[in-house]
Amino acid sequence: MKTPGILLLLVPLLACAEEGAVSDRELSLGGVAIGDTAAQVVSRLGEPKRKVPEQDFLDLHYDYANLRVSFNGGIVAGLQAETRGACTPKGLCPGDRLDRMRALYGDPIVSDRETGRSYEYIGGDAACWLQIRPRGKRVASIAVACQP
């Protein structure tokens, strides 16, 4: 009987289908993903408009027209988009309606911080997440944030 074997495969999948969770593949904006190198970013997007060094965990930022790419030691460790040109792999973009966000990703984790409200979807390893800031009923910005 094959039913018990199928159930053993489905139980872990159902456990992963929780509120506010996304696959690590979704931790990407504008074709750039967490873990990419600076060379991969330039290969995909070209030279940035500006390079901004910092004395922090995120030690270098590449600014593009639609995307800010932040690095730690030459590896992408953060992404920020506030305009339509940089979207998630499923196609959520700044400016989209929040009901589209929910249709694509399900119910988010609602996070109220001193900087305001955001909707969050945690990646598979829980070190990085999508952080979506609302403006009214629309997506104001999308970030991929990671814990140092």
Side-chain angles (χ1 to χ4, degrees), residues 13-113:
L13 291 175
L14 292 173
C16 291
E18 59 188 66
E19 183 176 290
V22 294
S23 73
D24 287 340
R25 180 185 170 289
E26 287 300 310
L27 300 176
S28 171
L29 290 173
V32 177
I34 297 297
D36 285 353
T37 65
Q40 288 172 309
V41 172
V42 170
S43 173
R44 281 190 198 108
L45 302 179
E47 286 296 326
K49 289 189 325 184
R50 184 174 49 170
K51 295 180 182 180
V52 182
E54 298 275 343
Q55 297 295 320
D56 204 351
F57 171 74
L58 298 175
D59 55 13
L60 180 63
H61 306 282
Y62 282 9
D63 289 337
Y64 291 91
N66 302 312
L67 182 66
R68 176 171 252 209
V69 181
S70 300
F71 297 90
N72 175 265
I75 303 297
V76 175
L79 300 161
Q80 174 81 25
E82 294 181 0
T83 58
R84 254 195 157 336
C87 304
T88 67
K90 283 189 177 180
L92 183 69
C93 306
D96 284 348
R97 296 184 58 79
L98 292 173
D99 56 359
R100 176 169 166 70
M101 172 194 77
R102 286 184 177 87
L104 290 171
Y105 294 108
D107 288 329
I109 297 168
V110 178
S111 178
D112 289 315
R113 296 192 171 96

